[in-house]
Amino acid sequence: MKEIVMPTKIKITLPKPRNPLAVAAKSRRAGSHQGEQPQRLARRAEKHQLHLLLAGRKGAGGDDA
């Protein structure tokens, strides 16, 4: 008697579908807004220095933190 060998089923796993929102977000320019708002950055630095001065962590005349 002849033995018939059936090939095993080939299982192809497909990758997960891409998130359309992630593709759109990647195409946009993301990053810090540091260069766009220099006044805000300077104001924040002054506020931070004032806070350190009032907390007593920084001397009145120096740049030591």
Side-chain angles (χ1 to χ4, degrees), residues 3-37:
E3 190 174 325
I4 301 174
V5 178
M6 297 294 276
T8 59
K9 265 191 172 178
I10 298 174
K11 184 178 178 184
I12 300 173
T13 57
L14 296 174
K16 285 173 50 176
R18 289 181 179 242
N19 182 354
L21 299 177
V23 174
K26 194 169 185 174
S27 67
R28 294 188 189 105
R29 275 186 43 207
S32 67
H33 299 269
Q34 208 170 30
E36 297 175 10
Q37 301 172 347

